[in-house]
Amino acid sequence: METSFLQGNGIEALPQFLTSLAIGLLIGLERERNPSAKAGLRTFALVALFGTLTAMLASKTGSVWLLVAGMLLVGSMIIAAYFNSPSEEQDPGTTTVAALLLCYALGALIWYGMAKLAIMLAITTTTLLYFKPELRGMTQRLTRRDLVSVLQFLVLTFIILPILPNQNYGPYGAFNPY
């Protein structure tokens, strides 16, 4: 994106803040659908902007503690909101708390030049939040045998195969990871 017109106006960081705002609005849009959530569209947008602003201030001052303090502040505020007025549905709000903290971190990630990764993670986060009923239904349909099969596959793929020697091993070299 051409941003040379921003130079010298004191608003060179505007693209980062706009990207952060968009990420916050995206995640907040999904959370707004949940009536028991204590954070919605505006809160998520503000938290993403706060993450970018805190990261900017941390990089300008050279103090990483500003980022840590911001994360603790956001977490404390949303947890306090749930303790202050618990929902009628007895939903502890852990998903919203986690999403809000992630939104803060994504805002910081944008400042540090990883906007594409932050956007991908925001879309993934929104997708996970949106498909809660489908994911819950899928987990309810899994049998013990299905879960054991998934775990066996993961152990073979991510634990056993990487430690095997880099040579033909097994029939037709099937267990050769490289």
Side-chain angles (χ1 to χ4, degrees):
M1 172 170 43
E2 178 61 38
T3 60
S4 62
F5 67 93
L6 297 175
Q7 303 301 320
N9 292 331
I11 55 171
E12 295 85 10
L14 185 62
Q16 288 92 338
F17 283 98
L18 290 176
T19 305
S20 185
L21 178 66
I23 282 176
L25 288 172
L26 175 67
I27 298 171
L29 183 65
E30 196 291 323
R31 286 286 79 189
E32 192 76 36
R33 298 172 349 105
N34 185 352
S36 66
K38 301 288 186 223
L41 195 66
R42 295 176 304 154
T43 305
F44 275 89
L46 290 171
V47 166
L49 287 171
F50 182 58
T52 305
L53 180 63
T54 307
M56 180 184 80
L57 293 173
S59 67
K60 298 280 185 196
T61 62
S63 174
V64 160
W65 291 108
L66 283 173
L67 275 175
V68 175
M71 178 76 81
L72 291 173
L73 183 65
V74 168
S76 303
M77 287 175 50
I78 191 65
I79 290 169
Y82 277 98
F83 279 131
N84 191 23
S85 63
S87 68
E88 310 77 45
E89 300 169 16
Q90 299 303 319
D91 177 19
T94 52
T95 304
T96 300
V97 172
L100 206 57
L101 293 174
L102 181 64
C103 190
Y104 173 85
L106 292 175
L109 203 58
I110 289 169
W111 180 258
Y112 291 114
M114 296 182 233
K116 286 182 184 178
L117 176 62
I119 291 168
M120 288 189 281
L121 290 173
I123 292 169
T124 302
T125 301
T126 306
T127 303
L128 280 172
L129 293 170
Y130 182 78
F131 287 112
K132 175 187 176 181
E134 289 82 0
L135 292 170
R136 180 170 283 171
M138 183 180 73
T139 60
Q140 298 301 321
R141 288 189 302 271
L142 281 177
T143 65
R144 178 174 171 77
R145 185 176 180 148
D146 294 333
L147 191 55
V148 167
S149 296
V150 168
L151 291 173
Q152 286 173 339
F153 173 76
L154 293 173
V155 166
L156 280 172
T157 303
F158 296 106
I159 297 174
I160 303 297
L161 286 178
I163 62 173
L164 287 176
N166 191 11
Q167 60 187 7
N168 287 339
Y169 187 76
Y172 312 108
F175 292 105
N176 184 14
Y178 302 102

